[in-house]
Amino acid sequence: MCSFDVKILFTNIPVDFTVNLILDKVFADKENKFLGLNRTELRKMLNWTCKNTVLQFNGKYYTQLDAVAMGSPIAPLMADVFMNWLVDNVSKIGCSLHILCRYVDDIFCAFDSKDEMDKFFHNLNKVHSSVSFSKEVEADGQLTYLDVLLTKNEKGIETTIYRKNTHTGCTTNGKACRQYNIKKVPYKACYIVPTKFAARTN
């Protein structure tokens, strides 16, 4: 078992490449319009939302030339489209792969051998020049992926919720004067996401 993680995802998303992926998907059936927009208009809109990010640093203004800005509303969509394309192309590498799960930029895999894992990792870093991956390999039959501890045993893979030593268990008080959608985020992150992943891998 091992996991691969993109080193700095949002600021390495190739905008033009990802916009073309979106347009090819949306207009795959040779449709002339999508929500009233033709291909050229949709390209213009996507480029406008991705390439007009201005930031200030030390009193000077800068325009981001490529990649998507962290915090931008369109950034998660662009990242997801690019990562979907990347995972689709990774599956063509031709390694002996038992499991491949992805959550945003984290990929969990299980292989027959270390050689297969190394080959996959090497090829994964060649799929697109703008992103590179780091690798975490199981130790003593255990691997942490997101907030799940995966343990290999004779029955397969056992899952439990994983907490770092620094985890305090403190979250936003349910009676705090905050919007409901803000108050439910810690609950989802600490309980719902890990248990769903744990249930899926069993």
Side-chain angles (χ1 to χ4, degrees), residues 82 98 146 199:
F82 178 74
H98 290 293
L146 305 175

Side-chain angles (χ1 to χ4, degrees), residues 81-100:
V81 168
F82 178 74
M83 288 301 297
N84 279 338
W85 172 85
L86 193 135
V87 169
D88 287 346
N89 279 274
V90 161
S91 61
K92 298 171 188 170
I93 288 174
C95 293
S96 181
L97 185 65
H98 290 293
I99 302 170
L100 189 147

